[in-house]
Amino acid sequence: MLVDAQTDFVSPPPKPSMVHDVPTLATRDRLSKEEADLRAEIQAYASLTDNWDGEGAAAPPAQAVRDAIEFLGGRPDGIPLPLPEVASIGDVGIYWDEDGIFAEVQFGGDQAYSYYAQRKAARDVVEEYGNDSIVLAQGWPQDMVQLLRQLDKS
């Protein structure tokens, strides 16, 4: 993992070119069961159609699903697995919400993401970070990574 001091982003590790947009079986074999299950749940969002919630929700773009899975593939050491989510506007997301730390990353299908992260003490927000449009290739934002590493239980 590399940290670019000028941009404060954690660069994803170099990866071999992939023929498929989703992990191959060989890649999945190296994932923990929990991570494989997470990726499978996110991949399942690609099968949602418009009005999937019965209230007019938009179907997630296939690219949003691919972007979320690609982002997870660059997860830095010391970051626990997130929970998946899909928004009624069609965005695919992942989030963490425990021990006073909340972080969310949203993918709209344009090979970019937005994120918001905060840490609370009692009822007060003591740290808060975010950005509305980051190119996926920039990797994970360093401020969010540092905050999420506080959740590592190992």
Side-chain angles (χ1 to χ4, degrees), residues 10-50:
V10 177
S11 300
K15 61 182 180 186
S17 57
M18 296 177 69
V19 175
H20 304 287
D21 291 323
V22 296
T24 63
L25 182 57
T27 303
R28 276 190 232 127
D29 287 343
R30 289 178 276 173
L31 299 176
S32 69
K33 179 181 179 343
E34 293 81 12
E35 187 166 352
D37 289 347
L38 172 63
R39 288 175 181 227
E41 185 167 347
I42 292 170
Q43 185 64 44
Y45 294 157
S47 66
L48 294 174
T49 58
D50 284 337

Side-chain angles (χ1 to χ4, degrees), residues 71-149:
F71 186 79
L72 281 171
R75 185 168 51 102
D77 293 339
I79 304 296
L81 286 173
L83 297 169
E85 63 184 355
V86 62
S88 62
I89 61 171
D91 287 356
V92 173
I94 55 174
Y95 73 98
W96 300 257
D97 190 6
E98 62 182 278
D99 297 336
I101 293 174
F102 174 81
E104 178 178 50
V105 183
Q106 293 288 316
F107 308 90
D110 56 358
Q111 296 186 315
Y113 67 92
S114 61
Y115 80 98
Y116 175 77
Q118 71 174 18
R119 182 175 63 85
K120 286 185 174 185
R123 291 188 169 139
D124 299 323
V125 174
V126 294
E127 290 180 75
E128 185 174 40
Y129 309 101
N131 194 317
D132 285 334
S133 185
I134 302 170
V135 176
L136 194 61
Q138 285 186 286
W140 289 56
Q142 184 61 34
D143 52 15
M144 186 177 76
V145 168
Q146 290 175 342
L147 194 61
L148 291 173
R149 281 193 172 136

